Amino acid sequence: MQDSPIRRHHVQISGDPRAPALLFAHGFGCDQRVWRFVAPAFEPDHRVVLFDHLGSGRSSPDAYSPTRHATLQGYADDVVELIERLGLRDVVFVGHSVGSTIGLLASLKNRGAFSRLVLLAPSPCYLNFPPDYFGGFERSELEELLRLIERNDLAWASFLAPVVMKNGERPELREELQQSFCSMEPGVAHRFAAATFLSDHRGELEGVRVPSLIMQCRDDSVAPPQVGEYLHRHLAGSTLRRLAATGHCPHMSHPEETVDVIRDYLREAAMAA
Amino acid sequence: MTDSIDRWPCGLLSLDPGGRIVAVNRSLGDGLGYLAEELLGQSIDRLLPAGSRIFFHAHLQPLLAVKGQVAEVYLPLKTRHGETLPMLVNATSVAEGEGHRSDCAFFPTTMRARYEERLLAAKCEAESERSRNAALAERIAVMREQLRQSLAHTLHESLAQEIGSLKWRLEALHAGAAAAGTESANELAELARTAGATLERVRRLSYELHPLELQQLGLRAATQRCARALAAGTGVAVEVVGGDPLPAARDAASLVLFRVVEEALRNALGHARASRVTVEIGHDAGTIMATVRDDGIGMCAGTPDEPGSLGLLEIRQRLASVGGALALRTAPGRGCTLEARIPRAVPEPGVAAGPGRASVSSTG
Ligand SMILES: Nc1ncnc2c1ncn2[C@@H]1O[C@H](COP(=O)(O)OP(=O)(O)O)[C@@H](O)[C@H]1O
Ligand SMILES: [Mg+2]
């Protein structure tokens, strides 16, 4: 039971159990609670499934593996396992930021499981490779991000962590750390950030067969417009929607528009089918 | 901003839901080389170096939206001339119309940043020192066990064999003498008995040095046998549970677990005045574990480390040497539950790769 992916990922299921499944995957530095303004809108006509990536939110700390989760493939394996264990079919996968890359990779591992991919502020690669590709960042800038994360670890978690991790007699300490939103154990955040921001998954795009919706925000300084266009060109069966929403987290800053765009897309998809 | 706030000794900044600057005080503008007016209406991105920009949008903003506030976050800002200034920020999110306004207070932290830099370096140093020590401790533990194992082996295989055959020959001599009615018969019988007792003691010693059967039978069966031996004659019901096969564990880990269970059993049988003791051996995703539970008198948690009481202390040390941990749940009159957990894989930065099977070389 400790081993069940449902427990491991702190899975929360709501909505109509007979309706099509919507699986929401959060991005780096967050947890499933980021979907709180968006997910409820789908409950009347979907089975809504929320989960935390291992190492994030309230996932079980013991299940996190520094080797498995050193790359996004490990996270994608988790998603496939989760879908299989929940017995979901024709899943509409909604991923934000790196969550969307994880969804793309997962769709290559189990080709039958997904019906649609909804990609919120996605990027297959954050690095610049001039002259063909501009992910938005130089390597040195992303390394600066890693140092920043390390620094913010230092501020609180790493002083607490040795106590938390070593102290089997006081599991409540660990619990407390887990409860705080978006918190990650030191090392985990750093490793997840490295897997997210220093990887290059452009090569995998051509293999993706599941139709997708790319939701590109205005003024997104993490995933710039040319990245959305690149994805659109390289993902077969993709639709590109430019949002009025600004920033990198439209599901938090502009939930109504986010819901509407996803709804419209799913309605059109249903009609086309 | 009002005049006084404008000059407060910290940077103040308000952002609209889209991340645009709607208010900023002069102190912040000055620090970054801007007139406050120049910044109004600009995106916060203008002030964020790349790393801060990602961190802000991917982590801080959602955090603010859900929690309503963040404190003491390290978030460097960028001056007009592209220099990076280390800053700490506290921020709150205030509902405004449809969305949320974020109010941020920035504190330059140049001096502190330098300390932190050093602290971070020292921490890395300590970390690698610690992992070297842990690796060393594990190697020492392994070598000690190897030595014990090889002694146990010598005792068990050659010494015990020789005493055994001595005993057998004495018995044969005694039988002959007894049949012939020789008067040395009694003495031979006595010698054979002594040889038998010595043989028993040598076997015991060998076992205490190292449970050879751990390798032969595996952890669960060896534990079962150990529990039966210790419980014999005590009248306490000892049960070993846990049905499914154990995943392959490192030798060092199963030996530690075995020793821990053994000591916990001795305690439960020797101190607890228990009527029932349950040993459970199991595993989950990343750990193997053993639980020893008794229904005895219990004790005050936190006080068992009396001088002269080395059992629990040694349990802790053994567990630590393989990256494991101990949880002791007990209270007077409430019995005692001891739970030992050992990670199946070697913990990340710590202990070096698992030791191979301890070799059984006879050292002469
Ligand atoms: N299961 C138990 N039930 C009650 N008391 C216990 C139990 N285990 C240990 N103790 C108490 O803790 C003390 C310390 O135990 P330990 O460290 O193993 O040393 P020792 O067994 O040599 O006394 C014991 O002397 C006993 O008083
Ligand atoms: Mg003892």
Side-chain angles (χ1 to χ4, degrees):
Chain A
M1 27 133 223
Q2 268 267 310
D3 248 357
S4 130
I6 314 213
R7 181 84 88 79
R8 274 201 305 247
H9 290 281
H10 198 77
V11 170
Q12 306 291 314
I13 301 179
S14 59
D16 181 350
R18 284 152 316 189
L22 262 181
L23 179 65
F24 287 92
H26 66 84
F28 169 81
C30 294
D31 66 39
Q32 60 177 281
R33 283 169 278 189
V34 292
W35 299 111
R36 52 158 62 173
F37 308 122
V38 163
F42 293 94
E43 282 168 2
D45 50 0
H46 284 89
R47 184 177 189 199
V48 171
V49 184
L50 302 178
F51 74 100
D52 291 334
H53 295 299
L54 292 185
S56 300
R58 289 162 291 180
S59 64
S60 42
D62 292 341
Y64 178 84
S65 148
T67 42
R68 178 177 169 110
H69 298 102
T71 70
L72 297 185
Q73 299 291 355
Y75 290 90
D77 288 332
D78 287 348
V79 167
V80 170
E81 215 175 300
L82 187 60
I83 287 175
E84 284 167 2
R85 192 62 78 87
L86 287 171
L88 302 180
R89 262 177 295 130
D90 300 327
V91 174
V92 176
F93 179 95
V94 184
H96 170 238
S97 200
V98 69
S100 58
T101 312
I102 292 169
L104 287 168
L105 297 177
S107 81
L108 294 171
K109 292 173 190 282
N110 183 337
R111 289 170 182 275
F114 302 86
S115 71
R116 300 274 155 172
L117 302 172
V118 176
L119 316 173
L120 239 76
S123 171
C125 175
Y126 294 88
L127 285 160
N128 295 334
F129 287 99
D132 311 317
Y133 181 81
F134 291 90
F137 299 92
E138 296 301 324
R139 194 170 188 92
S140 61
E141 295 177 322
L142 295 173
E143 277 161 2
E144 176 191 313
L145 169 70
L146 296 187
R147 277 197 301 278
L148 185 70
I149 288 166
E150 204 162 43
R151 222 14 135 45
N152 278 307
D153 264 2
L154 180 82
W156 54 280
S158 60
F159 287 131
L160 196 56
V163 189
V164 178
M165 321 257 277
K166 301 280 139 51
N167 216 325
E169 283 146 82
R170 295 194 57 192
E172 75 277 7
L173 274 181
R174 178 174 243 178
E175 204 95 307
E176 207 170 280
L177 192 65
Q178 286 284 306
Q179 286 311 317
S180 58
F181 174 71
C182 291
S183 68
M184 284 182 162
E185 281 178 8
V188 175
H190 192 270
R191 219 174 287 114
F192 192 15
T196 300
F197 294 105
L198 298 180
S199 63
D200 180 358
H201 292 287
R202 288 176 296 159
E204 274 104 335
L205 299 177
E206 312 289 343
V208 174
R209 287 288 159 269
V210 183
S212 56
L213 169 67
I214 300 160
M215 294 171 68
Q216 174 69 52
C217 299
R218 205 149 48 86
D219 300 331
D220 184 347
S221 54
V222 180
Q226 66 269 23
V227 169
E229 281 150 25
Y230 180 94
L231 274 168
H232 184 40
R233 280 199 305 279
H234 289 82
L235 280 175
S238 66
T239 306
L240 176 63
R241 279 293 302 266
R242 294 188 181 82
L243 306 187
T246 53
H248 185 59
C249 299
H251 49 323
M252 307 217 73
S253 60
H254 302 74
E256 299 84 7
E257 185 187 14
T258 306
V259 168
D260 289 346
V261 169
I262 297 176
R263 262 198 186 294
D264 286 350
Y265 175 73
L266 294 181
R267 194 174 309 121
E268 281 159 29
M271 265 159 32
Chain B
M1 295 233 169
T2 66
D3 267 359
S4 67
I5 291 180
D6 235 3
R7 304 244 171 244
W8 275 9
C10 65
L12 300 174
L13 186 77
S14 261
L15 300 173
D16 73 7
R20 260 184 312 274
I21 301 172
V22 290
V24 55
N25 74 344
R26 216 158 282 286
S27 311
L28 188 61
D30 288 351
L32 298 173
Y34 292 100
L35 294 174
E37 297 74 50
E38 287 179 279
L39 291 175
L40 289 177
Q42 300 280 344
S43 162
I44 177 72
D45 287 352
R46 177 93 177 254
L47 303 180
L48 299 174
S52 298
R53 204 155 70 225
I54 299 181
F55 194 72
F56 180 82
H57 290 287
H59 180 64
L60 273 189
Q61 260 197 334
L63 194 62
L64 262 174
V66 171
K67 271 204 355 186
Q69 59 175 352
V70 299
E72 286 186 62
V73 176
Y74 178 70
L75 189 76
L77 295 182
K78 191 170 68 180
T79 69
R80 165 174 237 134
H81 309 293
E83 289 163 294
T84 298
L85 287 187
M87 291 274 181
L88 282 181
V89 63
N90 285 5
T92 53
S93 150
V94 186
E96 192 182 70
E98 292 284 281
H100 288 258
R101 192 186 76 220
S102 306
D103 293 338
C104 313
F106 285 90
F107 302 87
T109 169
T110 320
M111 287 300 263
R112 186 170 294 249
R114 229 169 281 151
Y115 295 138
E116 279 179 12
E117 209 82 59
R118 262 184 258 161
L119 206 55
L120 203 58
K123 181 173 158 272
C124 289
E125 180 85 6
E127 197 62 40
S128 68
E129 188 69 23
R130 203 174 60 83
S131 73
R132 264 201 304 278
N133 283 343
L136 209 59
E138 172 156 1
R139 274 205 24 226
I140 291 174
V142 168
M143 280 167 64
R144 189 179 61 185
E145 284 303 340
Q146 278 176 350
L147 183 61
R148 297 177 72 138
Q149 187 178 354
S150 107
L151 276 173
H153 203 255
T154 310
L155 282 178
H156 196 265
E157 296 304 310
S158 47
L159 212 54
Q161 298 282 356
E162 282 159 26
I163 298 172
S165 79
L166 192 63
K167 171 174 172 263
W168 179 78
R169 278 165 56 198
L170 283 169
E171 277 164 359
L173 280 176
H174 165 250
T182 325
E183 75 187 54
S184 62
N186 280 347
E187 201 168 337
L188 283 170
E190 185 55 37
L191 281 174
R193 261 198 300 280
T194 309
T198 308
L199 180 61
E200 213 24 67
R201 283 224 295 281
V202 166
R203 282 194 178 136
R204 252 211 117 67
L205 194 59
S206 158
Y207 172 83
E208 275 167 19
L209 277 168
H210 185 91
L212 291 168
E213 56 204 46
L214 189 57
Q215 265 99 49
Q216 292 150 12
L217 305 177
L219 179 58
R220 193 185 308 284
T223 303
Q224 233 139 17
R225 200 182 264 204
C226 162
R228 222 176 300 132
L230 288 174
T234 63
V236 181
V238 179
E239 192 190 11
V240 179
V241 297
D244 50 330
L246 212 58
R250 289 175 293 151
D251 280 2
S254 39
L255 181 58
V256 166
L257 219 49
F258 180 83
R259 293 291 197 199
V260 167
V261 169
E262 188 182 19
E263 173 60 23
L265 270 173
R266 280 186 204 282
N267 281 351
L269 296 168
H271 303 304
R273 279 178 258 153
S275 59
R276 170 169 287 281
V277 181
T278 314
V279 181
E280 192 176 347
I281 293 180
H283 62 95
D284 64 17
T287 44
I288 59 171
M289 56 209 167
T291 311
V292 179
R293 186 177 297 122
D294 70 58
D295 61 354
I297 57 171
M299 57 178 151
C300 299
T303 55
D305 293 336
E306 298 163 25
S309 292
L310 292 178
L312 288 170
L313 206 64
E314 203 178 344
I315 285 182
R316 278 180 213 278
Q317 268 171 7
R318 278 178 188 279
L319 282 169
S321 78
V322 286
L326 175 75
L328 197 58
R329 285 186 290 274
T330 179
R334 289 281 186 87
C336 181
T337 299
L338 180 146
E339 187 183 274
R341 307 175 68 94
I342 301 178
R344 245 195 277 168
V346 181
E348 248 294 272
V351 189
R357 181 169 289 271
S359 64
V360 191
S361 60
S362 191
T363 45

